[in-house]
Amino acid sequence: MAQIEPKPGIMEIALYEGGKATVEGVSNVVKLSSNENPYGPSPAAQEAVRRTVHELHRYPSTDHAALRQAIAEMHGLDAARIICGVGSDEVIHFLCQAYAGPGTEVIHTEHGFAMYRISTLAAGGTPVEVPERERVTDVDSILNACNENTRLVFIANPNNPTGTMIGLAEIERLAEGLPPQCLLVLDGAYAEYVEGYDGGARLVEMRDNVVMTRTFSKLYGLGGLRVGWGYAPKHVIDVLNRVRGPFNLSSTALAAAEAAVRDTAYVEKCRDDNTRLRAWLSEALAEHGVPCDTSTANFVLARFGSREEAEACDAYLQTQGLIVRRVAGYNLPNCLRITVGDEASCRRVAYCVGQFKAGAR
C-alpha cells in the first residue's frame, strides 16, 4: 500500500500547549497561565452575546462590516484596510499561507510567539530564529538574517512571553531596512496595555510593507470567542481576503467584539488596574529575590536562578492552587510567566513565591 505522508514541514510542528487550567487533586485554583483578563468581558459585550441567541440559525456576515467599522471608528483607522480572523492567530496563518511557502524564509525572534514557527511550517516555509538582546527584540539581528528568500518578519511588540518592547524609531528602522519582497508583521496582541501606543497603525499607513495584528482575547476578555484583526496596506488585505473563509467568525463573536471595542470606559479601567497591579507584582517578586524585566503587557516574566528552581517553584505554586506558565518552550527554561490577575490573585502568588524562596516545598 502507498504510504500517505503530509507535506514537508508538517511533522516538524510541535503541538501547541496552552496554559494549564486545572491541577489534579486541587480545587479552587487561580489560573494565571494564559494572560486572560481577570475581570472578564465588559457588561456590554456580555449583553451583546445574549442578544444573538435568537439568530443562531442565521449565517454570520461574510465581510464583518459592522465590526470593521467599529474598530475603525474607535482607533481612527480605515475600515477598508481591516481584516478579521479567528483570533490574531488566524491572521498570522493567513499571512504565512499567502506569502510563505517552499523555498521561502520567515524570521522570528528566539523568544517570539510559537505560532510564527507553526504557521510558517504549515505553509511549507522555513522558520529562521534570530537572537534577542537580553530578552528584547534586536533589530540588527533581524536585518542581518534577511536575504532574497525572506518573505515575512514577525515581531510581537510588546513581546510574549518576555513583556518587553522596542520603540517606534527601531520599528521604523527595521521596516526601512527589509528587502523589497518582505513584509514586517507587528503582532500587537498586548498593544492595548501600553497607554498611547497605536500598535504600529500609523506606520502601516505610511508604508506598503508593514502589517499590524491585534486581538480581543486579552484586554477585551474575549479569549473564549476567538476574535482578532489585522490592519494592512490594501494590496495585502486584497490578498488575505482571498484565503479567508467567508464565515470564519460567528455572529456571537462579531457582536461581542463590536460591543467590547466601543466600551472605552471598561477598557480604560482594566488597563489602569493592570498597570497598577503589574508594578506591584514586579516589586513584590523582586523583594523575594525573583527579578522581572520591565513588562508592558498583562504578565510578568519571573526569572529564577536555574531551570530546576523555576520548575520547583511552579510545582509548589500548583500545590497552593496557583497555575502559572513554564516557558522552556520559548527558550526561557529558568523563567515562569505569571499573568497579572486581580489584586487578591497578585497578592496570593507573591506571598507563595516568597514562601517558596524561604524554603517551603
Side-chain angles (χ1 to χ4, degrees):
M1 295 178 62
Q3 188 173 8
I4 300 173
E5 297 273 2
K7 66 182 182 181
I10 298 297
M11 298 310 294
E12 296 179 43
I13 298 173
L15 295 179
Y16 182 86
E17 294 185 21
K20 290 181 63 174
T22 60
V23 178
E24 187 175 352
V26 180
S27 59
N28 193 29
V29 298
V30 176
K31 184 186 177 190
L32 301 172
S33 58
S34 296
N35 302 340
E36 296 154 333
N37 184 333
Y39 310 108
S42 82
Q46 295 180 45
E47 177 58 30
V49 169
R50 284 189 284 269
R51 289 199 302 268
T52 66
V53 298
H54 304 294
E55 297 291 329
L56 296 184
H57 58 301
R58 304 296 185 191
Y59 277 100
S61 161
T62 61
D63 63 5
H64 312 145
L67 176 56
R68 290 189 298 105
Q69 186 59 41
I71 292 169
E73 289 177 12
M74 303 313 296
H75 292 283
L77 305 178
D78 178 1
R81 300 172 67 170
I82 295 172
I83 186 170
C84 298
V86 182
S88 53
D89 291 1
E90 189 178 39
V91 181
I92 290 167
H93 192 74
F94 291 157
L95 286 160
C96 289
Q97 186 180 1
Y99 293 99
T104 69
E105 296 180 354
V106 174
I107 293 174
H108 64 88
T109 66
E110 64 178 313
H111 306 309
F113 184 40
M115 287 307 301
Y116 308 149
R117 173 180 169 83
I118 290 172
S119 294
T120 299
L121 289 170
T126 300
V128 176
E129 181 180 293
V130 302
E132 297 180 8
R133 185 186 298 117
E134 294 295 314
R135 297 168 302 281
V136 178
T137 297
D138 186 340
V139 168
D140 290 321
S141 291
I142 294 172
L143 292 176
N144 290 337
C146 290
N147 58 44
E148 66 277 8
N149 299 319
T150 308
R151 295 295 183 272
L152 295 164
V153 169
F154 285 103
I155 66 167
N157 203 48
N159 190 35
N160 172 30
T162 63
T164 60
M165 67 182 297
I166 60 174
L168 181 59
E170 281 293 272
I171 297 173
E172 291 177 339
R173 184 166 74 87
L174 175 57
E176 183 65 31
L178 292 178
Q181 79 284 352
C182 179
L183 285 173
L184 171 62
V185 184
L186 301 174
D187 181 348
Y190 300 93
E192 283 87 359
Y193 289 101
V194 184
E195 185 72 37
Y197 176 50
D198 71 356
R202 298 285 84 82
L203 192 60
V204 173
E205 294 177 341
M206 291 166 53
R207 305 188 59 89
D208 65 0
N209 68 336
V210 180
V211 176
M212 176 185 72
T213 64
R214 302 284 279 270
T215 186
F216 284 91
S217 296
K218 305 303 179 185
L219 183 61
Y220 293 102
L222 295 178
L225 287 180
R226 310 303 300 123
V227 188
W229 56 283
Y231 193 55
K234 288 184 178 179
H235 70 92
V236 174
I237 293 297
D238 178 61
V239 169
L240 300 187
N241 274 323
R242 295 172 189 271
V243 298
R244 179 182 65 83
F247 302 110
N248 60 323
L249 287 178
S250 70
S251 299
T252 300
L254 290 166
E258 182 181 350
V261 76
R262 292 187 183 281
D263 193 347
T264 56
Y266 186 79
V267 167
E268 290 172 8
K269 179 186 183 302
C270 290
R271 182 192 297 116
D272 290 346
D273 284 353
N274 178 80
T275 300
R276 174 176 58 86
L277 291 169
R278 181 181 64 207
W280 183 91
L281 180 59
S282 296
E283 184 176 339
L285 292 174
E287 290 175 356
H288 294 310
V290 180
C292 304
D293 292 318
T294 299
S295 174
T296 52
N298 68 332
F299 57 86
V300 297
L301 186 70
R303 304 202 311 275
F304 294 82
S306 66
R307 179 175 190 151
E308 291 71 25
E309 186 185 26
E311 293 181 352
C313 184
D314 178 44
Y316 175 73
L317 292 175
Q318 289 186 46
T319 68
Q320 304 303 301
L322 294 165
I323 305 175
V324 299
R325 183 72 178 268
R326 297 186 186 187
V327 284
Y330 286 91
N331 299 316
L332 293 162
N334 65 323
C335 298
L336 298 175
R337 192 190 68 189
I338 305 174
T339 302
V340 177
D342 59 17
E343 185 160 351
S345 300
C346 289
R347 291 187 178 278
R348 185 171 163 186
V349 75
Y351 172 79
C352 289
V353 170
Q355 291 293 100
F356 168 81
K357 292 291 286 186
R361 292 292 189 275

